[in-house]
Amino acid sequence: MCGIVGYIGARQAKPILLNSLAHLEYRGYDSCGIAVLGAGLEVYKEAVRVQALEKILPKNIDGKIGIGHTRWATHGEPSQVNAHPHCDCTGKIAVVHNGVINNFQKLRQQLTGEGHKFLSETDTEVIPHLIEKYYDGDLEKAVAMALREVEGSYAIVVMVADEPKLVVARKDSPLIIGLGDRENFVASDVPAILDYTNRVVYLEDDDLGVITPEDIKVSHGGRVVGREKHEISWSVEDAQKGGYAHFMLKEIHEQPKVIRDTIGGYASVTEPIASLAMPGDTLLPDVLILACGTSYHAALIGKHILGELLRVSVRTELASEFNYSGPISSKSRAIVITQSGETADSLKAIKRLKEAGCQVIVITNVVGSTASRIADQVIYTRAGPEISVAATKSFTAQLMALYWLALPYAKVDIRRLDSLVMGLRQLPSKVQQVLDNEAVVAEYARQLSKYENVFFIGRGINFPVALEGALKLKEISYLHAEGYAAGELKHGPFALLGSDTPVVAIFAQDNTYEAMLTNVKEVKARKSPVMALVEEGDEAVQEVADSVIALPQVDALFSPVVNTVALQLLAYHTAKERGCSIDFPRNLAKSVTVE
Ligand code: G6P
């Protein structure tokens, strides 16, 4: 949801800003721009991707201070004039912003009345004008005064032609400062600055920072505060394509390692990774799991994992809907899953839960993310940076966290427990077998890419896999895809079935198998082509389905892992066949920091 960057130091700012922005494009990519301070303040922006902007920029932009932005439009269509940076009337103050200013209309009216001229339709443009109103030679003071009038969420970087510094501030949108040697960096997210430094400071809500090449000063409520420096373990290579055609493909192929790393990390400590029991209670509480997007599908699978292993009642909800739901029981244990740790709806849900007295466990992939800092307990996944907008390896890692969270409390006999632990340890090689079968999946994808509508069906623990398979396909291939509980198909969607509407059926060797087989027969009777995901050696499904993807044998509890990896490959190759922008699908963003 918009990426922002800043640089101040002894090097030329332009190449650093462009390189950092290119690493942040997963946050938004409908337009971009930079402002550089040399002899004067120069602003360049266009409704194009970063690479295209680079080509049209003058070669000799000279300046060692600068800011940059890559946009995911909220207020106003993607256009040159709506792109950031935005300036004040004098053209001396430039601002890049991620977030939403809720009271921008009122502020814009007021400022217009005071003689300010607005050029864009954005909410952001009120910020440079407010700063202009208060600026008397002290940018830090002017930004602090301007922000007092602003309601909403923001991460901003501000520069002014008359002062060699960057001023930054955040509220409900992520912002980090990267620490260099006599140079400093600002970014929404770590991958933007990994080429330059791995030492960062995470800003807190309502922090205001002043950055020079030699120094950073952070204040909070008018008082200077110290903020801890963190070392990032992600490497530059982690955030590069490493020879793959797309980040998504690389990330799909990283999954055996991600499973190994995530489980290995958990197994290296003897205590449970988080305490599901409530303090002083011997009985396990009810569990509430909240998330958005793909993480929500992990939550739905989590409901089956925890339900089956712990025999507790588990409720799952979309974080975005939960925020409008009724009273919360403080007796529930809440788990919020968010790979980025920055999804606005998930953060709002965490705050609501905490206000109601709930203990919140967060499962996230990003160390230092907002969710990790406001949770009571954090379980980190070890997926490494995920750049492709479509989540793949972060999802698998979330499932690992859920399995490992449940195991210490599992109400199963020791033999079953041993076999589950063994099954988890074998998962990397099982997933590798799925990946080794990529050519077969790619061939099916070639066939699928010719259709316009696809249904995915599953039951039990694989119903969320159907949802995830459909989501992956629609977001990157732009095919209309719907995930359905197999038993629900006859309550409406049957009207849409026919030879031009294929159905992908996801099987597991559990108590859903027979019912799924019946459903597939019903679908075949309506002439829909059926592609089935089955365990290797299965013959019954093969007899009815038009094509099968055979997957390695695993415990049914782990079947979502192998099934999902196959569906990720299916979506990837379908999108490739259709010539889509796989890593940066239209209209989407990786980190959704607006409600
Ligand atoms: C966006 C991303 C999805 C992700 C969802 C939730 O829509 O494109 O891949 O699943 O946000 O993100 P989170 O960071 O909370 O898991």
XYZ file of all heavy atoms in Angstrom, residues 237-324:
671
model
N 20.254 -11.335 -1.216
C 19.830 -12.417 -2.136
C 18.399 -12.852 -1.849
O 17.646 -13.182 -2.758
C 20.739 -13.658 -2.020
C 22.176 -13.448 -2.463
C 22.965 -12.608 -1.470
O 22.791 -12.797 -0.252
O 23.744 -11.739 -1.917
N 18.034 -12.840 -0.552
C 16.668 -13.250 -0.200
C 15.635 -12.403 -0.937
O 14.522 -12.847 -1.202
C 16.418 -13.071 1.313
C 17.101 -14.147 2.123
O 17.415 -15.202 1.552
O 17.327 -13.922 3.317
N 15.985 -11.163 -1.203
C 15.019 -10.250 -1.826
C 15.273 -10.109 -3.325
O 14.814 -9.171 -3.954
C 15.084 -8.891 -1.131
N 16.027 -11.052 -3.915
C 16.251 -11.012 -5.364
C 15.690 -12.281 -6.023
O 15.431 -13.264 -5.343
C 17.750 -10.898 -5.663
C 18.261 -9.517 -5.309
C 19.760 -9.411 -5.404
O 20.448 -10.420 -5.480
N 20.255 -8.194 -5.375
N 15.581 -12.233 -7.352
C 14.902 -13.346 -8.045
C 15.747 -14.611 -8.149
O 15.214 -15.688 -8.415
C 14.506 -12.903 -9.445
C 13.201 -12.139 -9.464
C 12.718 -11.955 -10.869
C 11.940 -10.648 -10.967
N 11.999 -10.050 -12.274
N 17.043 -14.472 -8.001
C 17.928 -15.649 -7.987
C 17.783 -16.550 -9.200
O 17.751 -17.775 -9.067
N 17.658 -15.966 -10.382
C 17.609 -16.758 -11.613
C 16.220 -17.208 -12.027
O 16.030 -17.711 -13.127
N 15.223 -17.069 -11.162
C 13.857 -17.447 -11.543
C 13.223 -16.338 -12.386
O 13.585 -15.159 -12.254
C 12.997 -17.675 -10.299
C 13.302 -18.979 -9.607
C 14.245 -19.041 -8.584
C 12.643 -20.146 -9.981
C 14.530 -20.239 -7.952
C 12.916 -21.349 -9.348
C 13.863 -21.390 -8.341
O 14.131 -22.579 -7.719
N 12.242 -16.713 -13.196
C 11.582 -15.724 -14.059
C 10.775 -14.730 -13.229
O 10.614 -13.570 -13.613
C 10.668 -16.431 -15.045
N 10.241 -15.195 -12.118
C 9.416 -14.318 -11.271
C 9.710 -14.604 -9.798
O 10.063 -15.733 -9.439
C 7.926 -14.570 -11.525
C 7.496 -14.240 -12.909
N 7.437 -15.187 -13.892
C 7.135 -13.055 -13.475
C 7.037 -14.612 -15.020
N 6.857 -13.319 -14.799
N 9.470 -13.581 -8.973
C 9.588 -13.792 -7.525
C 8.638 -14.900 -7.080
O 8.971 -15.712 -6.231
C 9.248 -12.507 -6.766
C 10.384 -11.538 -6.711
C 10.331 -10.339 -7.404
C 11.509 -11.808 -5.957
C 11.388 -9.435 -7.352
C 12.568 -10.924 -5.893
C 12.498 -9.738 -6.597
N 7.446 -14.922 -7.662
C 6.454 -15.908 -7.206
C 6.985 -17.333 -7.387
O 6.864 -18.167 -6.488
C 5.131 -15.743 -7.943
C 4.073 -16.708 -7.423
S 2.510 -16.517 -8.257
C 1.531 -17.775 -7.451
N 7.599 -17.579 -8.549
C 8.110 -18.929 -8.796
C 9.243 -19.260 -7.821
O 9.318 -20.354 -7.267
C 8.586 -19.056 -10.247
C 8.907 -20.475 -10.691
C 7.681 -21.376 -10.582
C 9.436 -20.506 -12.119
N 10.105 -18.266 -7.603
C 11.203 -18.491 -6.660
C 10.630 -18.799 -5.265
O 11.071 -19.731 -4.584
C 12.075 -17.236 -6.598
C 13.157 -17.316 -5.541
C 13.878 -15.996 -5.396
C 14.831 -16.008 -4.242
N 14.650 -14.892 -3.325
N 9.624 -18.045 -4.891
C 9.073 -18.211 -3.542
C 8.336 -19.540 -3.392
O 8.384 -20.174 -2.338
C 8.204 -16.988 -3.201
C 9.109 -15.765 -2.987
C 8.435 -14.412 -3.129
O 7.209 -14.368 -3.313
O 9.159 -13.394 -3.059
N 7.683 -19.981 -4.477
C 7.041 -21.310 -4.450
C 8.120 -22.376 -4.227
O 7.973 -23.287 -3.411
C 6.277 -21.576 -5.769
C 5.040 -20.671 -5.875
C 5.869 -23.041 -5.878
C 4.316 -20.745 -7.214
N 9.234 -22.216 -4.949
C 10.294 -23.228 -4.866
C 11.072 -23.166 -3.556
O 11.795 -24.107 -3.227
C 11.241 -23.098 -6.064
C 10.696 -23.787 -7.274
N 11.005 -25.080 -7.606
C 9.799 -23.374 -8.205
C 10.339 -25.440 -8.690
N 9.603 -24.418 -9.090
N 10.959 -22.062 -2.851
C 11.671 -21.965 -1.559
C 10.955 -22.724 -0.446
O 11.476 -22.830 0.665
C 11.787 -20.487 -1.152
C 12.910 -19.749 -1.848
C 12.874 -18.257 -1.557
O 11.844 -17.742 -1.095
O 13.877 -17.603 -1.800
N 9.753 -23.230 -0.725
C 8.942 -23.740 0.386
C 9.535 -24.916 1.162
O 9.400 -24.942 2.383
C 7.512 -24.008 -0.094
C 6.832 -22.663 -0.358
C 5.439 -22.747 -0.931
O 4.470 -22.420 -0.282
N 5.346 -23.188 -2.163
N 10.239 -25.856 0.515
C 10.851 -26.901 1.355
C 11.793 -26.293 2.404
O 11.774 -26.683 3.573
C 11.622 -27.760 0.340
C 10.869 -27.564 -0.947
C 10.408 -26.131 -0.918
N 12.574 -25.302 1.972
C 13.513 -24.662 2.906
C 12.758 -23.874 3.981
O 13.110 -23.906 5.170
C 14.446 -23.732 2.122
C 15.393 -22.945 2.998
C 16.363 -22.121 2.165
C 17.383 -21.404 3.020
N 16.838 -20.501 4.007
N 11.695 -23.200 3.554
C 10.918 -22.397 4.514
C 10.316 -23.294 5.593
O 10.339 -22.971 6.786
C 9.813 -21.611 3.758
C 8.777 -21.058 4.728
C 10.437 -20.497 2.928
N 9.814 -24.446 5.173
C 9.229 -25.377 6.159
C 10.331 -25.841 7.115
O 10.169 -25.819 8.334
C 8.588 -26.594 5.451
C 7.407 -26.130 4.603
C 8.146 -27.640 6.467
C 6.797 -27.220 3.733
N 11.477 -26.191 6.518
C 12.602 -26.669 7.342
C 13.033 -25.585 8.330
O 13.190 -25.831 9.518
C 13.771 -27.047 6.436
C 14.465 -28.301 6.843
C 15.518 -28.740 5.829
N 14.986 -29.446 4.689
C 15.094 -29.062 3.411
N 15.728 -27.950 3.099
N 14.567 -29.774 2.453
N 13.196 -24.366 7.819
C 13.661 -23.266 8.684
C 12.649 -22.957 9.786
O 13.017 -22.729 10.940
C 13.878 -21.986 7.863
C 15.101 -22.094 6.966
O 15.834 -23.097 7.085
O 15.311 -21.176 6.148
N 11.386 -22.928 9.397
C 10.367 -22.535 10.383
C 10.245 -23.604 11.466
O 10.341 -23.312 12.663
C 9.017 -22.272 9.674
O 9.226 -21.261 8.695
C 7.951 -21.807 10.644
N 10.082 -24.849 11.037
C 9.975 -25.939 12.017
C 11.278 -26.075 12.810
O 11.266 -26.261 14.029
C 9.697 -27.282 11.299
C 8.363 -27.225 10.565
C 9.743 -28.451 12.247
C 7.178 -27.407 11.420
N 12.400 -25.966 12.099
C 13.708 -26.103 12.764
C 13.856 -25.058 13.861
O 14.342 -25.357 14.959
N 13.428 -23.849 13.576
C 13.499 -22.768 14.567
C 12.667 -23.105 15.794
O 13.104 -22.940 16.935
N 11.466 -23.624 15.560
C 10.582 -23.947 16.693
C 11.138 -25.141 17.477
O 11.062 -25.187 18.705
C 9.169 -24.289 16.212
C 8.480 -23.177 15.437
C 7.512 -23.463 14.481
C 8.791 -21.838 15.669
C 6.878 -22.452 13.773
C 8.166 -20.830 14.961
C 7.209 -21.140 14.008
O 6.591 -20.155 13.308
N 11.687 -26.116 16.729
C 12.146 -27.339 17.394
C 13.396 -27.092 18.228
O 13.721 -27.871 19.119
C 12.425 -28.416 16.346
N 14.097 -25.975 17.925
C 15.347 -25.736 18.647
C 15.109 -25.233 20.075
O 16.035 -25.140 20.858
C 16.221 -24.744 17.872
O 15.568 -23.497 17.835
N 13.866 -24.885 20.404
C 13.583 -24.523 21.803
C 12.628 -25.559 22.388
O 11.783 -26.104 21.673
C 12.964 -23.104 21.925
C 13.988 -22.032 21.687
C 11.772 -22.925 21.018
N 12.755 -25.801 23.674
C 11.947 -26.877 24.251
C 10.548 -26.411 24.689
O 9.632 -27.204 24.765
C 12.667 -27.515 25.451
O 13.200 -26.470 26.235
C 13.747 -28.475 25.010
N 10.385 -25.105 24.947
C 9.057 -24.640 25.383
C 8.108 -24.536 24.185
O 8.554 -24.429 23.048
C 9.101 -23.245 26.011
C 10.008 -23.054 27.177
C 11.381 -22.623 26.735
O 11.472 -21.539 26.135
O 12.328 -23.383 26.950
N 6.779 -24.500 24.463
C 5.827 -24.234 23.389
C 6.127 -22.865 22.762
O 6.623 -21.960 23.452
C 4.472 -24.187 24.106
C 4.672 -24.881 25.393
C 6.112 -24.721 25.756
N 5.836 -22.698 21.473
C 6.185 -21.427 20.821
C 5.305 -20.285 21.311
O 5.654 -19.128 21.176
C 6.156 -21.531 19.280
C 4.824 -22.108 18.782
C 7.328 -22.349 18.782
C 4.695 -22.093 17.266
N 4.162 -20.611 21.853
C 3.327 -19.603 22.521
C 2.404 -20.362 23.447
O 2.101 -21.528 23.214
C 2.518 -18.813 21.504
N 1.956 -19.681 24.481
C 1.127 -20.371 25.443
C -0.341 -20.218 25.063
O -0.875 -19.116 25.062
C 1.397 -19.792 26.826
O 0.421 -20.266 27.690
N -0.955 -21.348 24.764
C -2.380 -21.282 24.424
C -3.239 -21.250 25.679
O -4.352 -20.754 25.667
C -2.766 -22.509 23.589
C -2.631 -22.361 22.075
C -2.945 -23.671 21.403
C -3.525 -21.265 21.536
N -2.702 -21.797 26.773
C -3.475 -21.813 28.015
C -3.519 -20.413 28.600
O -2.575 -19.641 28.450
C -2.824 -22.766 28.996
N -4.620 -20.083 29.241
C -4.715 -18.763 29.885
C -4.046 -18.853 31.258
O -4.121 -19.893 31.913
C -6.181 -18.361 30.060
C -6.952 -18.335 28.774
S -6.526 -16.903 27.798
C -7.961 -15.921 28.103
N -3.424 -17.749 31.712
C -2.747 -17.799 33.005
C -3.691 -18.320 34.108
O -4.828 -17.873 34.209
C -2.380 -16.327 33.259
C -2.471 -15.653 31.925
C -3.393 -16.449 31.074
N -3.214 -19.272 34.881
C -3.983 -19.780 36.015
C -5.074 -20.770 35.632
O -5.778 -21.294 36.490
N -5.250 -21.064 34.366
C -6.309 -21.973 33.919
C -5.718 -23.310 33.502
O -4.676 -23.353 32.860
C -7.007 -21.373 32.696
C -8.411 -20.947 33.020
O -8.953 -21.460 34.009
O -8.960 -20.109 32.283
N -6.405 -24.382 33.843
C -5.894 -25.676 33.409
C -6.538 -26.094 32.086
O -5.954 -26.819 31.291
C -6.179 -26.756 34.479
O -7.504 -26.571 34.917
C -5.193 -26.671 35.618
N -7.771 -25.612 31.861
C -8.461 -25.971 30.622
C -8.052 -25.025 29.505
O -7.844 -23.830 29.727
C -9.968 -25.852 30.825
C -10.630 -26.943 31.649
C -12.111 -26.663 31.778
C -10.385 -28.298 31.009
N -7.956 -25.557 28.309
C -7.650 -24.672 27.184
C -8.878 -23.825 26.860
O -9.998 -24.324 26.887
C -7.269 -25.496 25.958
C -5.874 -26.119 25.973
C -5.656 -26.918 24.704
C -4.799 -25.054 26.098
N -8.662 -22.552 26.545
C -9.808 -21.695 26.254
C -10.297 -21.882 24.815
O -9.651 -22.547 24.017
C -9.203 -20.299 26.407
C -7.764 -20.478 26.043
C -7.390 -21.867 26.420
N -11.444 -21.266 24.522
C -11.878 -21.199 23.124
C -10.871 -20.348 22.365
O -10.213 -19.490 22.945
C -13.244 -20.505 23.031
C -14.337 -21.386 23.586
O -14.050 -22.558 23.856
O -15.463 -20.885 23.746
N -10.780 -20.611 21.090
C -9.791 -19.868 20.303
C -10.499 -19.089 19.202
O -11.442 -19.589 18.576
C -8.753 -20.837 19.675
C -7.730 -20.067 18.855
C -8.046 -21.646 20.749
N -10.037 -17.886 19.005
C -10.566 -17.030 17.937
C -9.393 -16.729 17.010
O -8.345 -16.273 17.469
C -11.076 -15.738 18.591
C -11.503 -14.587 17.702
C -12.697 -14.992 16.865
C -11.864 -13.380 18.565
N -9.543 -17.019 15.722
C -8.437 -16.736 14.791
C -8.905 -15.717 13.763
O -9.965 -15.900 13.131
C -7.920 -17.994 14.056
C -7.806 -19.189 15.005
C -6.575 -17.717 13.422
C -7.262 -20.463 14.328
N -8.133 -14.665 13.597
C -8.506 -13.583 12.680
C -7.391 -13.344 11.678
O -6.211 -13.460 12.008
C -8.718 -12.282 13.461
C -9.761 -12.321 14.567
C -9.697 -11.043 15.376
C -11.140 -12.497 13.995
N -7.768 -12.961 10.475
C -6.763 -12.647 9.454
C -7.468 -12.101 8.223
O -8.702 -12.053 8.162
C -5.975 -13.902 9.086
N -6.683 -11.702 7.234
C -7.219 -11.215 5.951
C -6.539 -11.980 4.810
O -5.415 -12.459 4.953
C -6.889 -9.737 5.745
S -7.612 -8.663 6.960
N -7.198 -11.995 3.664
C -6.595 -12.532 2.437
C -6.144 -13.972 2.598
O -6.822 -14.807 3.209
N -4.970 -14.263 2.064
C -4.439 -15.622 2.130
C -4.236 -16.058 3.585
O -4.448 -17.221 3.933
C -3.110 -15.677 1.343
O -3.436 -15.570 -0.044
C -2.352 -16.962 1.575
N -3.852 -15.117 4.435
C -3.661 -15.469 5.854
C -4.975 -15.953 6.469
O -4.979 -16.767 7.398
C -3.153 -14.256 6.636
O -1.916 -13.842 6.129
N -6.091 -15.446 5.943
C -7.387 -15.906 6.439
C -7.600 -17.382 6.076
O -8.180 -18.145 6.846
C -8.502 -15.034 5.858
C -9.892 -15.495 6.241
C -10.309 -15.494 7.571
C -10.784 -15.956 5.275
C -11.579 -15.937 7.926
C -12.053 -16.396 5.620
C -12.447 -16.380 6.947
O -13.696 -16.819 7.290
N -7.107 -17.762 4.912
C -7.245 -19.178 4.548
C -6.385 -20.050 5.468
O -6.783 -21.161 5.822
C -6.878 -19.379 3.067
C -7.794 -18.607 2.157
N -7.430 -18.155 0.924
C -9.080 -18.191 2.350
C -8.447 -17.502 0.388
N -9.443 -17.502 1.228
N -5.230 -19.526 5.872
C -4.430 -20.255 6.874
C -5.222 -20.348 8.177
O -5.212 -21.379 8.865
C -3.092 -19.550 7.096
N -5.933 -19.278 8.508
C -6.742 -19.281 9.737
C -7.817 -20.366 9.660
O -8.058 -21.096 10.633
C -7.383 -17.911 9.940
N -8.462 -20.480 8.493
C -9.517 -21.498 8.344
C -8.946 -22.909 8.466
O -9.577 -23.806 9.026
C -10.211 -21.334 6.981
C -11.061 -20.070 6.801
C -11.542 -19.967 5.362
C -12.266 -20.082 7.742
N -7.735 -23.093 7.951
C -7.085 -24.407 8.111
C -6.709 -24.591 9.581
O -6.847 -25.677 10.155
C -5.862 -24.523 7.174
C -6.340 -24.491 5.717
C -5.060 -25.799 7.449
C -5.242 -24.334 4.682
N -6.271 -23.503 10.206
C -5.926 -23.527 11.633
C -7.100 -23.982 12.482
O -6.925 -24.681 13.487
N -8.293 -23.604 12.059
C -9.490 -24.016 12.804
C -9.567 -25.555 12.838
O -9.876 -26.147 13.869
C -10.719 -23.447 12.101
C -12.035 -23.845 12.680
C -13.148 -23.187 11.904
C -14.478 -23.691 12.433
N -15.535 -22.739 12.254
N -9.248 -26.193 11.722
C -9.279 -27.660 11.689
C -8.115 -28.250 12.485
O -8.284 -29.234 13.193
C -9.208 -28.150 10.237
C -10.500 -27.924 9.508
N -11.524 -28.830 9.506
C -10.938 -26.866 8.786
C -12.539 -28.357 8.802
N -12.212 -27.167 8.356
N -6.939 -27.636 12.356
C -5.760 -28.171 13.067
C -6.012 -28.114 14.582
O -5.876 -29.105 15.309
C -4.489 -27.370 12.716
C -4.186 -27.452 11.214
C -3.300 -27.856 13.543
C -3.074 -26.508 10.750
N -6.381 -26.923 15.051
C -6.569 -26.756 16.495
C -7.786 -27.537 16.983
O -7.773 -28.143 18.058
C -6.696 -25.270 16.847
C -5.385 -24.553 17.166
C -4.401 -24.609 16.020
C -5.644 -23.093 17.547
N -8.843 -27.506 16.173
C -10.066 -28.230 16.549
C -9.780 -29.718 16.702
O -10.186 -30.340 17.683
N -9.070 -30.277 15.727
C -8.824 -31.729 15.761
C -7.822 -32.098 16.850
O -8.016 -33.065 17.588
C -8.294 -32.203 14.395
C -8.063 -33.699 14.385
C -7.645 -34.240 13.027
O -8.040 -33.658 11.999
O -6.917 -35.257 13.018
N -6.756 -31.318 16.977
C -5.712 -31.714 17.920
C -6.030 -31.321 19.363
O -5.661 -32.022 20.293
C -4.364 -31.113 17.509
C -3.772 -31.631 16.197
C -2.414 -30.991 15.938
C -3.638 -33.156 16.215
N -6.712 -30.199 19.548
C -6.916 -29.722 20.915
C -8.323 -29.976 21.431
O -8.589 -29.809 22.614
C -6.636 -28.212 21.006
C -5.345 -27.703 20.377
C -5.196 -26.222 20.615
C -4.163 -28.444 20.958
N -9.215 -30.300 20.495
C -10.635 -30.503 20.860
C -11.198 -29.281 21.571
O -11.855 -29.401 22.601
C -10.816 -31.727 21.753
C -10.063 -32.934 21.302
C -10.997 -34.027 20.806
N -10.253 -34.991 20.018
C -9.546 -35.983 20.511
N -9.483 -36.165 21.791
N -8.899 -36.797 19.705
N -10.883 -28.122 21.062
C -11.486 -26.899 21.609
C -12.333 -26.275 20.502
O -12.216 -26.630 19.332
C -10.426 -25.862 22.073
C -9.660 -26.367 23.259
C -9.494 -25.482 20.923
N -13.180 -25.348 20.922
C -13.985 -24.690 19.897
C -13.173 -23.533 19.311
O -12.589 -22.727 20.035
C -15.296 -24.231 20.539
O -15.590 -22.940 20.180
N -13.111 -23.513 18.000
C -12.310 -22.478 17.324
C -13.230 -21.686 16.401
O -14.007 -22.254 15.628
C -11.179 -23.108 16.480
C -10.300 -22.032 15.873
C -10.341 -24.065 17.308
N -13.147 -20.365 16.507
C -13.945 -19.501 15.624
C -12.970 -18.720 14.763
O -11.933 -18.259 15.249
C -14.731 -18.534 16.507
C -15.909 -17.898 15.834
C -16.631 -17.008 16.828
N -16.500 -15.622 16.415
C -16.432 -14.601 17.239
N -16.448 -14.792 18.544
N -16.342 -13.389 16.775
N -13.268 -18.619 13.485
C -12.390 -17.809 12.625
C -13.215 -16.683 12.033
O -14.396 -16.848 11.749
C -11.830 -18.637 11.449
O -12.906 -19.341 10.860
C -10.771 -19.589 11.874
N -12.581 -15.545 11.837
C -13.284 -14.436 11.198
C -12.310 -13.622 10.376
O -11.123 -13.534 10.713
C -13.929 -13.538 12.264
C -15.441 -13.709 12.299
C -16.123 -12.636 13.107
O -16.437 -11.571 12.543
O -16.321 -12.852 14.317
N -12.846 -13.024 9.329
C -12.053 -12.051 8.590
C -11.842 -10.865 9.509
O -12.812 -10.362 10.101
C -12.818 -11.593 7.348
C -12.922 -12.611 6.216
C -14.044 -12.249 5.276
C -11.587 -12.683 5.467
N -10.619 -10.411 9.630
C -10.357 -9.281 10.535
C -11.195 -8.076 10.127
O -11.714 -7.343 10.974
C -8.875 -8.932 10.510
N -11.373 -7.890 8.820
C -12.105 -6.716 8.343
C -13.576 -6.762 8.767
O -14.204 -5.729 8.965
C -12.000 -6.615 6.819
O -12.373 -7.838 6.240
N -14.137 -7.948 8.920
C -15.535 -8.080 9.351
C -15.636 -8.098 10.873
O -16.574 -7.555 11.452
C -16.123 -9.380 8.783
C -16.486 -9.270 7.327
C -17.479 -8.142 7.085
O -18.537 -8.109 7.734
O -17.182 -7.256 6.253
N -14.659 -8.710 11.495
C -14.644 -8.795 12.955
C -14.737 -7.393 13.564
O -15.373 -7.182 14.594
C -13.344 -9.484 13.394
C -13.080 -9.406 14.863
C -13.746 -10.242 15.735
C -12.160 -8.499 15.372
C -13.508 -10.169 17.100
C -11.908 -8.419 16.730
C -12.590 -9.264 17.597
N -14.131 -6.437 12.873
C -14.095 -5.080 13.418
C -15.475 -4.440 13.485
O -15.649 -3.386 14.079
C -13.137 -4.216 12.594
C -11.701 -4.655 12.833
O -11.386 -5.172 13.899
N -10.836 -4.479 11.848
N -16.455 -5.052 12.845
C -17.825 -4.526 12.923
C -18.749 -5.511 13.624
O -19.958 -5.423 13.503
C -18.333 -4.214 11.503
C -17.428 -3.212 10.828
C -16.434 -3.620 9.954
C -17.523 -1.861 11.141
C -15.559 -2.714 9.387
C -16.656 -0.944 10.582
C -15.674 -1.378 9.709
O -14.803 -0.477 9.162
